Amino acid sequence: LHPEQREVIEIVHNSGESLLTVINQILDFSKIEAGYLQLECLPFDLYGCIESTLDMIRYTAATKRLELTCFVAEDVPMLVNGDVTRLRQILVNLLGNAIKFTNEGEVGLTLTAEETSRNPCVLHFTVHDTGIGISPEGLERLFQSFSQLDASTSRKFGGTGLGLVISKRLAELMGGSMWVESRVEHGSTFHFTIVVEVADGEKPYTPDYSELSLNNRN
């Protein structure tokens, strides 16, 4: 395509993707509020889920010259029963937000397992960034539906104000919770937990596979 044609097509594509995101968020929110959202409970590769999620947001991080890192603790099970689609949805939302609000530095994902001697076990995810941070006032309304930290008509960052609300509700539906620690100009760290069953046929731990480390700084 001619450069101008390509630019127009990209604008149309990006607009369609943005509209689809808004529609999906509203549908998800409506299902959750009505109690109609059903979670799957199927075996899936937890490490494969993380890797595919990082693949989805890696390019965006690279365009901002951000370092993207991931660490998975040794005792985290590889195969678990749960809803991989909804887990990926939470991760994409949190990592996407971290990249959006970070202009320099890094965005990182960490996964540890709590109560590993029990089945089911509790997985603890953290997503941290070196971005603009959130004020105490912003923290108070962070998980409120349709709430924007910057409510001005000229706000720099877009969004529906539903992504974090949906993510928090999904974590709770998975038996966990979500919370955040942040200071203005010092970045943010989002935490969430979910409860999963270790799947039958759990593979042995392999360090080369699970200790993911990505560096997108150019």
Side-chain angles (χ1 to χ4, degrees):
L1 295 175
H2 186 277
E4 292 183 1
Q5 293 174 321
R6 181 178 298 277
E7 182 179 1
V8 171
I9 292 299
E10 288 179 350
I11 291 173
V12 173
H13 174 76
N14 292 336
S15 298
E17 289 289 335
S18 298
L19 180 59
L20 186 61
T21 298
V22 172
I23 293 172
N24 285 335
Q25 287 185 341
I26 292 174
L27 288 174
D28 282 343
F29 180 73
S30 300
K31 289 179 182 178
I32 292 173
E33 289 294 287
Y36 292 148
L37 184 68
Q38 299 293 322
L39 296 180
E40 292 184 340
C41 187
L42 299 172
F44 69 91
D45 182 343
L46 181 58
Y47 297 85
C49 171
I50 293 174
E51 213 165 12
S52 64
T53 300
L54 294 175
D55 286 340
M56 294 172 65
I57 53 94
R58 186 181 313 182
Y59 175 76
T60 308
T63 58
K64 299 185 71 172
R65 302 179 65 85
L66 298 175
E67 184 178 4
L68 180 62
T69 64
C70 177
F71 173 77
V72 180
E74 293 187 8
D75 57 350
V76 173
M78 295 178 66
L79 296 178
V80 298
N81 292 323
D83 193 322
V84 62
T85 301
R86 294 303 182 178
L87 173 58
R88 188 182 293 112
Q89 181 177 352
I90 298 175
L91 291 173
V92 168
N93 185 276
L94 294 183
L95 288 166
N97 277 352
I99 293 171
K100 180 166 64 173
F101 292 105
T102 302
N103 294 321
E104 59 181 4
E106 71 173 35
V107 170
L109 170 66
T110 300
L111 171 59
T112 58
E114 302 175 3
E115 302 180 8
T116 54
S117 61
R118 300 182 182 180
N119 194 15
C121 72
V122 179
L123 300 180
H124 184 175
F125 297 81
T126 63
V127 174
H128 71 271
D129 63 63
T130 56
I132 61 176
I134 306 170
S135 67
E137 296 78 14
L139 288 173
E140 292 180 358
R141 63 176 188 273
L142 189 63
F143 294 108
Q144 295 179 9
S145 304
F146 301 103
S147 176
Q148 295 282 357
L149 296 184
D150 179 7
S152 66
T153 57
S154 61
R155 65 178 185 266
K156 181 178 179 181
F157 305 101
T160 61
L162 286 177
L164 287 177
V165 177
I166 293 171
S167 296
K168 185 174 186 294
R169 299 285 183 85
L170 288 175
E172 291 170 348
L173 287 173
M174 295 181 189
S177 60
M178 180 177 291
W179 66 100
V180 60
E181 302 165 344
S182 184
R183 287 194 301 155
V184 175
E185 303 300 334
H186 287 80
S188 304
T189 300
F190 281 81
H191 302 256
F192 75 93
T193 58
I194 62 172
V195 178
V196 296
E197 291 273 355
V198 179
D200 293 336
E202 163 68 1
K203 303 175 187 176
Y205 168 70
T206 52
D208 291 341
Y209 181 36
S210 63
E211 290 181 358
L212 305 174
S213 181
L214 301 176
N215 189 330
N216 283 326
R217 190 182 301 279
N218 295 322

